[in-house]
Amino acid sequence: MRLLVAGGGGLLGREVVRRARAAGHEVTATFRDRPIGVGGHRLDIRDRAAVAALVAAVRPEVIVNAAYRQADWAATADGGMHVAAAAAASRARLVHVSSDAIFSGRADEYDETAVPDPITPYGAAKAAAEVAVRGLVVDAAVVRTSLIIGAGESVIERQVRAIATGERGGVLFADDIRCPVHVADLAGAVLELAAVARPGVHNVAGADAISRHRLGVLIARRDGLDPAALPVALRAGSGLPGALAVRLNCAVTQKALVTRLRGAEEFLAA
């Protein structure tokens, strides 16, 4: 399989690239700022012409778009549209990685049929990208996921270690609920969806809906740190933007996957 991974320098992108190459696939990966070595191409997906030119040169069978920037509408929304347009022009399959940030948290849970109702600029950008992707690439696979955890490298894991060791201050919320997913599980699912055309929305998140504080406790225990050093608070009433609880129901997608989507209680076990 000839694969192009946009956002190949990120946590998920790196794992997708590593696994795809280990499986013998021909992989080209893009990065925006930090070079990623052999097979890496600097690309700003906000530049529609540059995206089109690279896709035309690589001629991928499948494009995985794992690129985003939370505070950058053009990168997340416009960039997603540019990748989708290039995929359509080259007749490449597309796996687009979205986020649970597209939801308000007003529903008890969200399955693959749930309609986005974002309440933050990032969530709105991700929702806009989904609209562009599904409009431009009829057989695109849209992967909605949650907090990505992986081998100590994620932002959340670094934050927890810094708080637990006193390197920085902060609190972890007991009422901020998500479904954390291990990067290896997410990458495995993405590559399964890349290998065979499976159009539509796919929820790919962890099996456990847990709070940020509980997630921090699990990370601290795994890393040999004291969970009691993690201050706990409530996000409700804090004035911080975003949903409180977003639970992704992955039952339908899980039935179609070989990759098992583990819960954080399992993959962060000491």
Side-chain angles (χ1 to χ4, degrees), residues 32-33 43-51 67 69 71-83:
R32 178 167 163 180
D33 298 319
L43 178 69
D44 186 342
I45 62 171
R46 296 174 300 181
D47 185 337
R48 181 167 184 159
V51 174
R69 291 212 168 185
D72 189 337
W73 174 281
T76 302
D78 296 347
M81 177 182 65
H82 297 160
V83 173

PDB file of all heavy atoms in Angstrom, residues 32-33 43-51 67 69 71-83:
ATOM      1  N   ARG A  32       5.289  19.850   9.634  1.00  0.00           N
ATOM      2  CA  ARG A  32       5.196  21.302   9.415  1.00  0.00           C
ATOM      3  C   ARG A  32       6.440  22.031   9.915  1.00  0.00           C
ATOM      4  O   ARG A  32       6.985  22.875   9.214  1.00  0.00           O
ATOM      5  CB  ARG A  32       3.959  21.857  10.108  1.00  0.00           C
ATOM      6  CG  ARG A  32       3.824  23.376   9.969  1.00  0.00           C
ATOM      7  CD  ARG A  32       2.455  23.837  10.386  1.00  0.00           C
ATOM      8  NE  ARG A  32       2.412  25.278  10.646  1.00  0.00           N
ATOM      9  CZ  ARG A  32       1.336  25.938  11.023  1.00  0.00           C
ATOM     10  NH1 ARG A  32       0.185  25.294  11.172  1.00  0.00           N
ATOM     11  NH2 ARG A  32       1.371  27.231  11.254  1.00  0.00           N
ATOM     12  N   ASP A  33       6.897  21.710  11.127  1.00  0.00           N
ATOM     13  CA  ASP A  33       8.008  22.450  11.723  1.00  0.00           C
ATOM     14  C   ASP A  33       9.231  21.581  12.003  1.00  0.00           C
ATOM     15  O   ASP A  33      10.346  21.954  11.677  1.00  0.00           O
ATOM     16  CB  ASP A  33       7.560  23.117  13.036  1.00  0.00           C
ATOM     17  CG  ASP A  33       6.455  24.123  12.821  1.00  0.00           C
ATOM     18  OD1 ASP A  33       6.526  24.872  11.827  1.00  0.00           O
ATOM     19  OD2 ASP A  33       5.516  24.148  13.630  1.00  0.00           O
ATOM     20  N   LEU A  43       5.464  20.276   4.917  1.00  0.00           N
ATOM     21  CA  LEU A  43       4.226  20.670   4.246  1.00  0.00           C
ATOM     22  C   LEU A  43       3.367  21.475   5.207  1.00  0.00           C
ATOM     23  O   LEU A  43       3.140  21.068   6.340  1.00  0.00           O
ATOM     24  CB  LEU A  43       3.442  19.432   3.783  1.00  0.00           C
ATOM     25  CG  LEU A  43       2.094  19.704   3.107  1.00  0.00           C
ATOM     26  CD1 LEU A  43       2.296  20.368   1.749  1.00  0.00           C
ATOM     27  CD2 LEU A  43       1.289  18.413   2.964  1.00  0.00           C
ATOM     28  N   ASP A  44       2.896  22.601   4.749  1.00  0.00           N
ATOM     29  CA  ASP A  44       1.919  23.393   5.481  1.00  0.00           C
ATOM     30  C   ASP A  44       0.565  23.137   4.822  1.00  0.00           C
ATOM     31  O   ASP A  44       0.317  23.603   3.709  1.00  0.00           O
ATOM     32  CB  ASP A  44       2.280  24.879   5.407  1.00  0.00           C
ATOM     33  CG  ASP A  44       1.368  25.743   6.267  1.00  0.00           C
ATOM     34  OD1 ASP A  44       0.279  25.271   6.648  1.00  0.00           O
ATOM     35  OD2 ASP A  44       1.742  26.900   6.545  1.00  0.00           O
ATOM     36  N   ILE A  45      -0.297  22.368   5.495  1.00  0.00           N
ATOM     37  CA  ILE A  45      -1.554  21.981   4.841  1.00  0.00           C
ATOM     38  C   ILE A  45      -2.515  23.154   4.684  1.00  0.00           C
ATOM     39  O   ILE A  45      -3.566  23.015   4.054  1.00  0.00           O
ATOM     40  CB  ILE A  45      -2.255  20.805   5.551  1.00  0.00           C
ATOM     41  CG1 ILE A  45      -2.656  21.165   6.981  1.00  0.00           C
ATOM     42  CG2 ILE A  45      -1.378  19.570   5.536  1.00  0.00           C
ATOM     43  CD1 ILE A  45      -3.532  20.100   7.623  1.00  0.00           C
ATOM     44  N   ARG A  46      -2.150  24.322   5.220  1.00  0.00           N
ATOM     45  CA  ARG A  46      -2.951  25.526   4.957  1.00  0.00           C
ATOM     46  C   ARG A  46      -2.764  26.011   3.525  1.00  0.00           C
ATOM     47  O   ARG A  46      -3.557  26.804   3.031  1.00  0.00           O
ATOM     48  CB  ARG A  46      -2.553  26.635   5.934  1.00  0.00           C
ATOM     49  CG  ARG A  46      -2.846  26.301   7.399  1.00  0.00           C
ATOM     50  CD  ARG A  46      -2.297  27.361   8.333  1.00  0.00           C
ATOM     51  NE  ARG A  46      -0.846  27.487   8.203  1.00  0.00           N
ATOM     52  CZ  ARG A  46      -0.108  28.336   8.919  1.00  0.00           C
ATOM     53  NH1 ARG A  46      -0.700  29.125   9.809  1.00  0.00           N
ATOM     54  NH2 ARG A  46       1.198  28.387   8.749  1.00  0.00           N
ATOM     55  N   ASP A  47      -1.709  25.505   2.866  1.00  0.00           N
ATOM     56  CA  ASP A  47      -1.380  25.884   1.488  1.00  0.00           C
ATOM     57  C   ASP A  47      -1.985  24.854   0.542  1.00  0.00           C
ATOM     58  O   ASP A  47      -1.425  23.772   0.340  1.00  0.00           O
ATOM     59  CB  ASP A  47       0.141  25.942   1.335  1.00  0.00           C
ATOM     60  CG  ASP A  47       0.586  26.445  -0.034  1.00  0.00           C
ATOM     61  OD1 ASP A  47      -0.191  26.341  -1.002  1.00  0.00           O
ATOM     62  OD2 ASP A  47       1.726  26.930  -0.130  1.00  0.00           O
ATOM     63  N   ARG A  48      -3.130  25.182  -0.037  1.00  0.00           N
ATOM     64  CA  ARG A  48      -3.860  24.216  -0.867  1.00  0.00           C
ATOM     65  C   ARG A  48      -3.038  23.756  -2.063  1.00  0.00           C
ATOM     66  O   ARG A  48      -3.011  22.563  -2.400  1.00  0.00           O
ATOM     67  CB  ARG A  48      -5.174  24.829  -1.335  1.00  0.00           C
ATOM     68  CG  ARG A  48      -6.018  23.882  -2.177  1.00  0.00           C
ATOM     69  CD  ARG A  48      -7.424  24.399  -2.365  1.00  0.00           C
ATOM     70  NE  ARG A  48      -8.247  23.446  -3.080  1.00  0.00           N
ATOM     71  CZ  ARG A  48      -9.570  23.428  -3.042  1.00  0.00           C
ATOM     72  NH1 ARG A  48     -10.214  24.311  -2.295  1.00  0.00           N
ATOM     73  NH2 ARG A  48     -10.261  22.547  -3.732  1.00  0.00           N
ATOM     74  N   ALA A  49      -2.317  24.677  -2.707  1.00  0.00           N
ATOM     75  CA  ALA A  49      -1.522  24.324  -3.887  1.00  0.00           C
ATOM     76  C   ALA A  49      -0.392  23.371  -3.513  1.00  0.00           C
ATOM     77  O   ALA A  49      -0.083  22.426  -4.263  1.00  0.00           O
ATOM     78  CB  ALA A  49      -0.963  25.579  -4.539  1.00  0.00           C
ATOM     79  N   ALA A  50       0.226  23.607  -2.363  1.00  0.00           N
ATOM     80  CA  ALA A  50       1.328  22.744  -1.923  1.00  0.00           C
ATOM     81  C   ALA A  50       0.822  21.335  -1.618  1.00  0.00           C
ATOM     82  O   ALA A  50       1.490  20.339  -1.943  1.00  0.00           O
ATOM     83  CB  ALA A  50       2.007  23.344  -0.697  1.00  0.00           C
ATOM     84  N   VAL A  51      -0.335  21.249  -0.995  1.00  0.00           N
ATOM     85  CA  VAL A  51      -0.921  19.935  -0.709  1.00  0.00           C
ATOM     86  C   VAL A  51      -1.209  19.190  -2.009  1.00  0.00           C
ATOM     87  O   VAL A  51      -0.860  18.010  -2.164  1.00  0.00           O
ATOM     88  CB  VAL A  51      -2.211  20.079   0.124  1.00  0.00           C
ATOM     89  CG1 VAL A  51      -2.902  18.722   0.283  1.00  0.00           C
ATOM     90  CG2 VAL A  51      -1.899  20.675   1.491  1.00  0.00           C
ATOM     91  N   ALA A  67      -3.180  15.567  10.865  1.00  0.00           N
ATOM     92  CA  ALA A  67      -2.627  16.896  11.133  1.00  0.00           C
ATOM     93  C   ALA A  67      -3.699  17.808  11.724  1.00  0.00           C
ATOM     94  O   ALA A  67      -4.847  17.795  11.287  1.00  0.00           O
ATOM     95  CB  ALA A  67      -2.079  17.503   9.848  1.00  0.00           C
ATOM     96  N   ARG A  69      -3.966  21.686  14.462  1.00  0.00           N
ATOM     97  CA  ARG A  69      -3.441  22.601  15.475  1.00  0.00           C
ATOM     98  C   ARG A  69      -4.629  23.200  16.195  1.00  0.00           C
ATOM     99  O   ARG A  69      -5.480  23.833  15.571  1.00  0.00           O
ATOM    100  CB  ARG A  69      -2.572  23.692  14.856  1.00  0.00           C
ATOM    101  CG  ARG A  69      -1.270  23.156  14.300  1.00  0.00           C
ATOM    102  CD  ARG A  69      -0.149  24.158  14.405  1.00  0.00           C
ATOM    103  NE  ARG A  69       1.125  23.525  14.123  1.00  0.00           N
ATOM    104  CZ  ARG A  69       2.284  24.147  14.246  1.00  0.00           C
ATOM    105  NH1 ARG A  69       2.322  25.399  14.641  1.00  0.00           N
ATOM    106  NH2 ARG A  69       3.423  23.520  13.979  1.00  0.00           N
ATOM    107  N   ALA A  71      -5.264  25.731  18.090  1.00  0.00           N
ATOM    108  CA  ALA A  71      -5.550  27.163  18.060  1.00  0.00           C
ATOM    109  C   ALA A  71      -5.484  27.745  16.650  1.00  0.00           C
ATOM    110  O   ALA A  71      -5.442  28.960  16.483  1.00  0.00           O
ATOM    111  CB  ALA A  71      -4.577  27.906  18.973  1.00  0.00           C
ATOM    112  N   ASP A  72      -5.488  26.877  15.642  1.00  0.00           N
ATOM    113  CA  ASP A  72      -5.302  27.338  14.267  1.00  0.00           C
ATOM    114  C   ASP A  72      -6.431  26.805  13.385  1.00  0.00           C
ATOM    115  O   ASP A  72      -6.382  25.663  12.922  1.00  0.00           O
ATOM    116  CB  ASP A  72      -3.939  26.843  13.754  1.00  0.00           C
ATOM    117  CG  ASP A  72      -3.549  27.459  12.412  1.00  0.00           C
ATOM    118  OD1 ASP A  72      -4.458  27.890  11.677  1.00  0.00           O
ATOM    119  OD2 ASP A  72      -2.354  27.495  12.108  1.00  0.00           O
ATOM    120  N   TRP A  73      -7.449  27.647  13.173  1.00  0.00           N
ATOM    121  CA  TRP A  73      -8.585  27.236  12.340  1.00  0.00           C
ATOM    122  C   TRP A  73      -8.127  26.831  10.951  1.00  0.00           C
ATOM    123  O   TRP A  73      -8.581  25.821  10.401  1.00  0.00           O
ATOM    124  CB  TRP A  73      -9.608  28.367  12.248  1.00  0.00           C
ATOM    125  CG  TRP A  73     -10.740  28.078  11.307  1.00  0.00           C
ATOM    126  CD1 TRP A  73     -10.732  28.168   9.951  1.00  0.00           C
ATOM    127  CD2 TRP A  73     -12.040  27.590  11.661  1.00  0.00           C
ATOM    128  NE1 TRP A  73     -11.941  27.786   9.425  1.00  0.00           N
ATOM    129  CE2 TRP A  73     -12.765  27.430  10.456  1.00  0.00           C
ATOM    130  CE3 TRP A  73     -12.658  27.299  12.882  1.00  0.00           C
ATOM    131  CZ2 TRP A  73     -14.075  26.984  10.448  1.00  0.00           C
ATOM    132  CZ3 TRP A  73     -13.973  26.857  12.862  1.00  0.00           C
ATOM    133  CH2 TRP A  73     -14.664  26.700  11.662  1.00  0.00           C
ATOM    134  N   ALA A  74      -7.226  27.611  10.355  1.00  0.00           N
ATOM    135  CA  ALA A  74      -6.800  27.344   8.980  1.00  0.00           C
ATOM    136  C   ALA A  74      -6.136  25.984   8.856  1.00  0.00           C
ATOM    137  O   ALA A  74      -6.349  25.267   7.878  1.00  0.00           O
ATOM    138  CB  ALA A  74      -5.855  28.445   8.505  1.00  0.00           C
ATOM    139  N   ALA A  75      -5.327  25.602   9.840  1.00  0.00           N
ATOM    140  CA  ALA A  75      -4.660  24.298   9.780  1.00  0.00           C
ATOM    141  C   ALA A  75      -5.663  23.162   9.962  1.00  0.00           C
ATOM    142  O   ALA A  75      -5.614  22.147   9.259  1.00  0.00           O
ATOM    143  CB  ALA A  75      -3.560  24.217  10.837  1.00  0.00           C
ATOM    144  N   THR A  76      -6.576  23.322  10.916  1.00  0.00           N
ATOM    145  CA  THR A  76      -7.498  22.233  11.249  1.00  0.00           C
ATOM    146  C   THR A  76      -8.662  22.123  10.262  1.00  0.00           C
ATOM    147  O   THR A  76      -8.962  21.035   9.762  1.00  0.00           O
ATOM    148  CB  THR A  76      -8.032  22.420  12.678  1.00  0.00           C
ATOM    149  OG1 THR A  76      -6.932  22.453  13.588  1.00  0.00           O
ATOM    150  CG2 THR A  76      -8.966  21.288  13.064  1.00  0.00           C
ATOM    151  N   ALA A  77      -9.318  23.230   9.972  1.00  0.00           N
ATOM    152  CA  ALA A  77     -10.496  23.209   9.102  1.00  0.00           C
ATOM    153  C   ALA A  77     -10.115  23.313   7.632  1.00  0.00           C
ATOM    154  O   ALA A  77     -10.408  22.418   6.831  1.00  0.00           O
ATOM    155  CB  ALA A  77     -11.447  24.338   9.487  1.00  0.00           C
ATOM    156  N   ASP A  78      -9.443  24.409   7.259  1.00  0.00           N
ATOM    157  CA  ASP A  78      -9.044  24.575   5.857  1.00  0.00           C
ATOM    158  C   ASP A  78      -8.077  23.483   5.435  1.00  0.00           C
ATOM    159  O   ASP A  78      -8.161  22.945   4.323  1.00  0.00           O
ATOM    160  CB  ASP A  78      -8.395  25.940   5.646  1.00  0.00           C
ATOM    161  CG  ASP A  78      -9.356  27.099   5.888  1.00  0.00           C
ATOM    162  OD1 ASP A  78     -10.568  26.839   5.979  1.00  0.00           O
ATOM    163  OD2 ASP A  78      -8.888  28.241   5.995  1.00  0.00           O
ATOM    164  N   GLY A  79      -7.141  23.149   6.319  1.00  0.00           N
ATOM    165  CA  GLY A  79      -6.173  22.098   5.994  1.00  0.00           C
ATOM    166  C   GLY A  79      -6.843  20.765   5.722  1.00  0.00           C
ATOM    167  O   GLY A  79      -6.483  20.046   4.784  1.00  0.00           O
ATOM    168  N   GLY A  80      -7.846  20.423   6.535  1.00  0.00           N
ATOM    169  CA  GLY A  80      -8.583  19.188   6.294  1.00  0.00           C
ATOM    170  C   GLY A  80      -9.270  19.195   4.947  1.00  0.00           C
ATOM    171  O   GLY A  80      -9.306  18.184   4.234  1.00  0.00           O
ATOM    172  N   MET A  81      -9.822  20.360   4.578  1.00  0.00           N
ATOM    173  CA  MET A  81     -10.468  20.496   3.267  1.00  0.00           C
ATOM    174  C   MET A  81      -9.446  20.349   2.143  1.00  0.00           C
ATOM    175  O   MET A  81      -9.707  19.695   1.134  1.00  0.00           O
ATOM    176  CB  MET A  81     -11.153  21.855   3.160  1.00  0.00           C
ATOM    177  CG  MET A  81     -11.793  22.132   1.797  1.00  0.00           C
ATOM    178  SD  MET A  81     -12.532  23.775   1.700  1.00  0.00           S
ATOM    179  CE  MET A  81     -11.070  24.818   1.856  1.00  0.00           C
ATOM    180  N   HIS A  82      -8.264  20.947   2.299  1.00  0.00           N
ATOM    181  CA  HIS A  82      -7.243  20.860   1.252  1.00  0.00           C
ATOM    182  C   HIS A  82      -6.777  19.423   1.035  1.00  0.00           C
ATOM    183  O   HIS A  82      -6.598  18.985  -0.104  1.00  0.00           O
ATOM    184  CB  HIS A  82      -6.043  21.734   1.635  1.00  0.00           C
ATOM    185  CG  HIS A  82      -6.368  23.184   1.741  1.00  0.00           C
ATOM    186  ND1 HIS A  82      -5.589  24.079   2.432  1.00  0.00           N
ATOM    187  CD2 HIS A  82      -7.424  23.908   1.249  1.00  0.00           C
ATOM    188  CE1 HIS A  82      -6.137  25.288   2.356  1.00  0.00           C
ATOM    189  NE2 HIS A  82      -7.245  25.209   1.647  1.00  0.00           N
ATOM    190  N   VAL A  83      -6.595  18.687   2.136  1.00  0.00           N
ATOM    191  CA  VAL A  83      -6.197  17.283   2.005  1.00  0.00           C
ATOM    192  C   VAL A  83      -7.302  16.484   1.320  1.00  0.00           C
ATOM    193  O   VAL A  83      -7.043  15.642   0.455  1.00  0.00           O
ATOM    194  CB  VAL A  83      -5.864  16.685   3.385  1.00  0.00           C
ATOM    195  CG1 VAL A  83      -5.628  15.178   3.278  1.00  0.00           C
ATOM    196  CG2 VAL A  83      -4.621  17.360   3.981  1.00  0.00           C
TER     197      VAL A  83
END
